[in-house]
Amino acid sequence: MFDRILVPLDGSQLADSVLPHVAAIASPFNAEVTLLRMVEKNQTVVSAQLFDLLNWQINKTKSALYLEKIKVLFQESGIRTQALVSEGLVAEGIAEYAQQQGMKLIVLSSHGRNGLTQWGISSITQKIVLIAQTSLLIVRAHQYGPCADKLSTAPLYKRILVPLDGSQRAENALPIITQLAQFHKSQVHLVHVVETPEMARQMPLAPEDVELATRVVDRNRKEAEQYLENLKSRSYLKDIDVRTHLITSENATVALHQLEEQEQIDIVTFNAHGYSGNHQWPYGSMVNHFILYGKAPLLIVQDLPLKQELVSPELSNFKRIEY
């Protein structure tokens, strides 16, 4: 499972908002945490290279001290932690390092040193999300203040939302959720949305159209009810407080966002793909929507195999800096 966790940080308070979540994820899985700071050199003219090199050395030293302070914070909480500074393109370097070192999870802040924007995630976070080939935890930076001098030991995830579409592929996230819920004593909300079928676009609908739509919804609801009951009876979920939700809606995405708000969900968890997922894309359409517009932290369990080549050679030029 999540035995190796990568945490990219840029020195900002917004990026530091992930730290309580790193502890909340690392503890249940007894994971080793790697703190990574990517230092990107500026492309300057020859006359300014010496000045640029001096600034870069200063930034490298500051980054090392910054990571060391956070490393001690985690170690005091009993979490195995290492820290390193690397040089290279930020998003590409983070993704490549994760693949080379076999990281099982990357924990990302939605925004970093460039500040909050009107977009759900920053451009750097979006790049990492698109090219990383591992599971991800995206923390919404605007919801959290500066990190304290000591990590809290209080359970962070009291309510976990797990949308399921009835496929075995979507259930790939359940073993991870089980372990997380057992540690945090969480209430797990399993939800299935039955969408009303799109009918012929004549207004008003003919009686036979309404009857057909009703029959389809009733049939799907019966199947979904049985599916959710079967899930609750599984042995690995018996010791967990499981709540099920069966929703009928014209729009499954809107229904899930509404449920997230109504139940005051602390973290939403998806498998990267469901029954209609295509391996050509890293995430299904529902997951993509929550990446951009979700309000709660989002845990995505990736189910695609690693590709041999992560990024093009010209983008993968980063090196590790020892300190």
Side-chain angles (χ1 to χ4, degrees), residues 146-315:
C147 182
D149 293 332
K150 186 176 181 180
L151 292 175
S152 173
T153 58
L156 191 59
Y157 306 131
K158 296 180 180 179
R159 291 168 292 275
I160 302 175
L161 181 64
V162 188
L164 297 168
D165 62 10
S167 68
Q168 290 186 351
R169 192 173 189 179
E171 294 172 19
N172 186 51
L174 288 179
I176 289 171
I177 292 307
T178 300
Q179 193 162 338
L180 196 62
Q182 288 173 339
F183 182 88
H184 289 278
K185 297 179 174 56
S186 310
Q187 189 179 82
V188 176
H189 294 256
L190 305 180
V191 55
H192 180 90
V193 180
V194 175
E195 287 193 281
T196 55
E198 183 177 351
M199 307 303 293
R201 295 183 179 275
Q202 56 181 350
M203 296 298 290
L205 291 176
E208 56 268 26
D209 293 331
V210 175
E211 181 185 359
L212 178 58
T214 302
R215 287 169 55 194
V216 171
V217 169
D218 289 344
R219 172 64 184 274
N220 288 340
R221 282 190 63 90
K222 289 179 181 178
E223 290 291 332
E225 287 172 358
Q226 186 63 47
Y227 169 69
L228 291 175
E229 285 301 315
N230 289 339
L231 278 181
K232 288 181 66 175
S233 65
R234 293 185 184 179
S235 58
Y236 59 84
L237 291 174
K238 285 185 176 180
D239 296 329
I240 297 174
D241 183 6
V242 176
R243 308 292 174 89
T244 59
H245 304 266
L246 179 55
I247 302 171
T248 301
S249 174
E250 295 180 354
N251 190 311
T253 304
V254 172
L256 290 175
H257 281 296
Q258 290 175 343
L259 183 64
E260 172 192 341
E261 185 174 351
Q262 291 169 3
E263 296 294 337
Q264 299 180 320
I265 296 299
D266 296 309
I267 185 170
V268 178
T269 304
F270 278 97
N271 195 58
H273 303 85
Y275 74 90
S276 60
N278 193 310
H279 69 276
Q280 294 179 340
W281 296 287
Y283 313 102
S285 58
M286 184 74 74
V287 177
N288 275 321
H289 197 283
F290 269 80
I291 289 173
L292 295 175
Y293 303 112
K295 295 181 180 180
L298 177 64
L299 177 61
I300 307 170
V301 180
Q302 184 56 263
D303 59 347
L304 293 181
L306 291 176
K307 297 179 181 178
Q308 289 298 317
E309 188 170 328
L310 178 63
V311 293
S312 58
E314 62 269 20
L315 293 180

Side-chain angles (χ1 to χ4, degrees), residues 11 18 23 38 52 55 89 119 169 208 227 250 303 321-322:
V18 306
M38 293 298 300
D52 179 62
N55 279 339
L89 297 175
W119 310 110
R169 192 173 189 179
E208 56 268 26
Y227 169 69
E250 295 180 354
D303 59 347
I321 303 168
E322 301 288 351

